[in-house]
Amino acid sequence: MKLVIPGGAGLLGTHLATTFAGDGHEIVVLSRTPESEESHRQVAWDGANLGSWAAELDGADAVINLAGRSVNCRYTPANRRAIMDSRVDSTRVVGEAIAGAATPPRVWLQASTATIYAHRYDGPNDERTGVIGGAESDAPDSWRFSIEVARAWERSLDEALTPRTRKVALRTAIVMSPDRGGAFDVLLSLARRGLGGTSGNGRQYVSWIHIDDFARAVRWLLESDLAGPVNVAAPQPLPNAAFMRALREAWGARVGLPATAWMLELGSLLLRTESELVLKSRRVVPGRLAESGFTFEHPSWPEAARDLCNRWRSLHG
């Protein structure tokens, strides 16, 4: 197949490009700063306007749009605008390119986020019975921004007029990878330094997926007939306290100092990020993936954490 990956120069896109190129597929990554890569081509785009890059979609088999500014920042007015615009604009213009193609891709996988669901501790959120967030009484007002972004992101996908292309919204949980700079690398650095204890009250659920299962889920969705929102998350989310304990045990860390909510707020301010990334309870399960027959190689966090720790040691010493 020919696969086009807008916004595919980051950690997830690079992993997908390498994985699918290894399967023998032709990969084209759309990037604001294209570079030369052995496994695939990179083509310039600005993520907002039609250009010569749109020709890559004509005759392609699939588009996997991962474009969007990182949310690992303070939600200042400028950053909020960049986060929102980078997602909505890129989704809109990919839809325009597909609509204008003589031979449009048969499937469009569009990045979304599991953060669209409510901050809750009780029942898990699947695609059919999950509660979309935004008005939780125990959630700070600042957290509503992420819900607004998620809703606008998916609305942009829904509004795209692409009748010959199957559309899937990837409501993806935190992807755990042994590579530098990812969420697992950050969490492991805390555990290695004796700081990987419970965050806040520890009751908030952590939804996650191993990067190998993320790539396998993408492959599955390319080949299946699923359309609409799909939760891309491991089937066993767990509370933060248990999540961090399993990570410490996987690494062999004896001590994990806890961090209270006020400490996390202060630390987030110093690190120029938001405490929501740690304190929001994301209890998300892969209802539609499971119903379609997809199986996970890494369904439980303790086993996945051991695998990732071993890979991290192999990669980084």
Side-chain angles (χ1 to χ4, degrees), residues 11-315:
L11 189 152
L12 295 186
T14 299
H15 184 81
L16 290 182
T18 302
T19 299
F20 288 120
D23 292 340
H25 302 301
E26 178 187 357
I27 308 299
V28 179
V29 167
L30 304 184
S31 172
R32 295 175 184 271
T33 56
E35 299 177 356
S36 177
E37 296 287 346
E38 292 185 5
S39 63
H40 60 271
R41 289 191 293 119
Q42 291 199 7
V43 174
W45 82 325
D46 66 2
N49 298 287
L50 288 173
S52 59
W53 60 266
E56 298 290 349
L57 276 64
D58 199 340
D61 294 280
V63 176
I64 308 168
N65 185 17
L66 304 177
R69 187 206 192 282
S70 172
V71 296
N72 187 18
C73 62
R74 295 297 291 179
Y75 290 165
T76 64
N79 285 341
R80 286 180 180 231
R81 185 166 53 254
I83 289 169
M84 178 71 82
D85 290 350
S86 64
R87 285 159 174 73
V88 172
D89 288 348
S90 62
T91 305
R92 170 188 51 76
V93 79
V94 166
E96 291 174 357
I98 292 174
T103 307
R106 59 181 176 78
V107 58
W108 172 9
L109 304 187
Q110 172 59 50
S112 181
T113 174
T115 301
I116 197 169
Y117 293 109
H119 167 69
R120 62 190 296 205
Y121 303 100
D122 52 1
N125 291 298
D126 63 20
E127 299 89 342
R128 293 189 177 88
T129 64
V131 178
I132 301 299
E136 301 92 324
S137 60
D138 61 341
D141 286 343
S142 61
W143 291 12
R144 297 186 182 183
F145 170 68
S146 295
I147 304 299
E148 294 169 2
V149 171
R151 285 176 161 172
W153 208 358
E154 292 195 4
R155 186 164 56 247
S156 184
L157 174 67
D158 293 339
E159 291 174 351
L161 300 178
T162 57
R164 293 186 288 168
T165 300
R166 175 170 57 91
K167 298 187 290 189
V168 181
L170 305 174
R171 290 180 175 173
T172 306
I174 302 171
V175 181
M176 298 296 178
S177 161
D179 300 293
R180 289 288 193 188
F184 179 80
D185 186 45
V186 173
L187 293 171
L188 182 59
S189 70
L190 296 175
R192 290 166 55 221
R193 292 168 173 79
L195 301 174
T198 298
S199 302
N201 62 27
R203 294 175 54 225
Q204 70 274 24
Y205 273 78
V206 181
S207 289
W208 60 278
I209 186 169
H210 192 293
I211 193 164
D212 288 353
D213 280 332
F214 173 76
R216 293 178 62 250
V218 168
R219 182 183 289 109
W220 181 269
L221 291 168
L222 289 174
E223 298 172 353
S224 74
D225 58 359
L226 288 175
V230 174
N231 291 347
V232 184
Q236 298 178 26
L238 67 172
N240 172 270
F243 180 90
M244 295 306 297
R245 181 170 59 249
L247 177 57
R248 295 195 304 272
E249 291 174 352
W251 183 255
R254 297 181 179 180
V255 178
L257 297 178
T260 62
W262 73 263
M263 292 169 64
L264 290 169
E265 291 292 351
L266 178 60
S268 297
L269 180 62
L270 295 173
L271 294 172
R272 308 302 300 164
T273 188
E274 292 286 340
S275 63
E276 176 191 12
L277 303 178
V278 176
L279 293 177
K280 179 174 179 178
S281 186
R282 298 171 172 85
R283 192 174 182 182
V284 180
V285 294
R288 300 189 69 204
L289 270 179
E291 291 170 3
S292 70
F294 180 79
T295 58
F296 288 81
E297 289 185 350
H298 304 280
S300 73
W301 175 240
E303 180 279 325
R306 289 192 296 271
D307 177 80
L308 290 164
C309 284
N310 289 336
R311 293 195 194 188
W312 193 97
R313 285 188 174 99
S314 176
L315 288 171

